Amino acid sequence: MSQTILIEPNEDLKKLYSINLHTFVGTDIIQRQNAEDTIELLKILPQVSLIITPARMNGIEVALKIHHFIKEENLETSMIVLGDCKPLVNEVTCLKEPVNWESLIRQAAQILGVSLKDSANKVRPDFIPVPVYYFYEIKKTPCDVFIRIKKGPYDYQFVKRIHSKDEFESADIKRYEDQGLKEFYVAKDYIQYFTTFVTNAIVQKLEREDLTLEDRILTTANAHEIVRDSIQVIGVDAASVELSHASINSMVKSVKNSPQVAQLLKFLFSNKISLAYQHCHMLALMCHYVLSKQSWYRQEHLETLSFVSFFSDITLKSNTQMQISTMRELAESNLTDEERQQVINHAKDAVELISSHPDANDYVKTVLIQSHGKLNGIGFEENPGEELHPLSKVFLVADAFVKILLNPAMPSSKKDILELLNLRFINPSYQKIIRALEQKFE
Ligand SMILES: [Fe+2]
């Protein structure tokens, strides 16, 4: 079997490419992170047939670096570059972005001398993984749903588990989860249909006036996970706009009727709500506390800050990344270089990612880009200045409060947290915001 090195930072695309390359092209996939570890591997495995890599990652010319090594060592290894790479246009196959995965598979087959016709008999329908939490708010699905069963090291079988229109209970989904299942699969042609169906079900629920506060928070938390997942994979689309709009409205509703902080935290922790949503919800609540003490406060301000807290960490992939709020914490973390870059740029990246969202007005974009105290959305400011927008200042103090509150290694009493904030945010308008929070907790 031929060997192919695959570099793909997006986890879902990595899965999609690996499965299809293996199934359709019959090549063995070796995953690598960057040019350096690819070159290290090529030194001991020079017989690798193909390398699939993005043209560049985080400003580094990955494809060029690898190509240079291949030339220097006179290797026979072919390359497929994802994205534009002018210097390599006549040397290797370059696929324009956004990359169509089917043409990637076709190109790989051609390079590796595999006839797709031959493998057509083995071809199964294309399946897209769908995390189990997509099933929390529905009782039936509009299409068949499958699970993937491993038959060999690279051989998978998709088995139908839920038939279209079958009724099921949340306990049924929980049983799968208890057995360790994280994803179901839906046939590619039905994925949009399925996502729209789930979106409609959740939006309808969130718009109900009779939801209990607990149910509202649980459903909004679930919607937050779905929006994060779908925006990270496919960007802003009609379904994620609709779902985020309903979720943010629902969050605004629930922070206005929120119980005491201690009670709310207990609820958030005991219901296994993601850290991302715990942070998002607590942050909106703290913003609400501060805003309600300001003479200039209007409802739109809470909507803006809730929108920003919903999307502020949308591009981050792990809890470790989300917990970082200073350059020092970033330096002390054990993240990879790529993960560090994602953290450093996440405010700027979030603005770019949601710029096509119709609710992302100029206030939202301003606060989002300034959400770590920098005007350009890059890095963290320990002691942010007076030049920031008043809403950004509220957001920054609230965010710092929540990050400490949710960090088990940091003080948990409100008094101790406020003291830490007082030491960190020394500019007058920030001190005023901290006093507003103090009043709320008196
Ligand atoms: Fe952030």
Side-chain angles (χ1 to χ4, degrees), residues 279 312-313 316 322 324 346-347 371-372 380 395 399 403:
H279 174 254
S312 62
D313 291 343
L316 298 180
M322 283 177 226
I324 289 170
H346 79 276
S371 59
H372 289 289
F380 299 90
F395 187 88
D399 184 51
K403 286 238 168 68

Side-chain angles (χ1 to χ4, degrees), residues 125-385:
D126 309 320
F127 293 95
I128 308 287
V130 181
V132 278
Y133 48 75
Y134 275 68
F135 292 79
Y136 289 170
E137 306 295 345
I138 52 175
K139 297 272 174 257
K140 58 177 190 244
T141 86
C143 56
D144 294 336
V145 173
F146 301 77
I147 59 167
R148 196 182 66 168
I149 292 173
K150 199 168 185 171
K151 289 181 73 188
Y154 284 98
D155 203 6
Y156 295 102
Q157 192 182 359
F158 292 88
V159 180
K160 197 184 287 184
R161 273 304 152 92
I162 305 173
H163 291 254
S164 147
K165 307 270 176 358
D166 266 6
E167 299 259 341
F168 55 85
E169 294 296 325
S170 30
D172 299 325
I173 303 299
K174 177 129 194 332
R175 258 199 302 281
Y176 282 108
E177 268 192 302
D178 291 346
Q179 288 164 18
L181 188 89
K182 294 203 163 50
E183 289 162 334
F184 286 101
Y185 285 79
V186 168
K188 180 174 156 257
D189 292 345
Y190 286 96
I191 190 71
Q192 192 144 17
Y193 189 39
F194 175 79
T195 320
T196 308
F197 181 84
V198 174
T199 300
N200 288 341
I202 300 180
V203 168
Q204 269 174 23
K205 185 167 177 189
L206 290 175
E207 284 175 350
R208 270 171 41 194
E209 290 296 329
D210 61 337
L211 271 192
T212 63
L213 189 62
E214 286 78 12
D215 209 1
R216 179 171 296 290
I217 294 175
L218 286 174
T219 311
T220 315
N222 184 23
H224 185 247
E225 284 299 291
I226 293 176
V227 171
R228 278 175 61 81
D229 175 67
S230 100
I231 287 192
Q232 283 188 4
V233 178
I234 54 173
V236 172
D237 68 348
S240 57
V241 165
E242 202 185 343
L243 193 51
S244 58
H245 183 82
S247 309
I248 293 164
N249 283 344
S250 167
M251 199 166 77
V252 167
K253 228 177 235 172
S254 51
V255 299
K256 283 170 136 182
N257 302 317
S258 200
Q260 292 294 307
V261 171
Q263 214 182 325
L264 178 62
L265 277 177
K266 203 170 149 212
F267 175 77
L268 291 175
F269 292 142
S270 58
N271 282 283
K272 293 203 189 95
I273 286 174
S274 70
L275 177 75
Y277 189 72
Q278 288 175 9
H279 174 254
C280 163
H281 193 97
M282 293 305 296
L283 180 49
L285 179 66
M286 291 305 143
C287 288
H288 172 57
Y289 278 1
V290 176
L291 288 172
S292 62
K293 293 278 169 198
Q294 309 301 318
S295 55
W296 43 264
Y297 169 57
R298 291 200 315 270
Q299 163 84 9
E300 301 94 275
H301 298 134
L302 178 60
E303 284 161 11
T304 300
L305 293 185
S306 299
F307 189 100
V308 177
S309 72
F310 197 86
F311 285 109
S312 62
D313 291 343
I314 189 90
T315 61
L316 298 180
K317 315 266 188 284
S318 67
N319 287 354
T320 313
Q321 286 180 314
M322 283 177 226
Q323 280 159 325
I324 289 170
S325 63
T326 62
M327 292 308 278
R328 187 175 42 80
E329 284 167 8
L330 184 66
E332 287 168 1
S333 71
N334 52 7
L335 296 173
T336 64
D337 287 349
E338 193 187 337
E339 290 165 335
R340 278 167 207 269
Q341 281 307 316
Q342 288 166 353
V343 174
I344 288 178
N345 292 320
H346 79 276
K348 180 173 86 52
D349 290 345
V351 175
E352 274 165 29
L353 193 62
I354 57 114
S355 59
S356 59
H357 193 302
D359 298 342
N361 58 32
D362 286 348
Y363 289 112
V364 162
K365 289 182 192 160
T366 304
V367 181
L368 190 49
I369 202 141
Q370 299 178 354
S371 59
H372 289 289
K374 294 283 192 187
L375 291 170
N376 60 3
I378 300 173
F380 299 90
E381 182 60 57
E382 188 82 18
N383 174 33

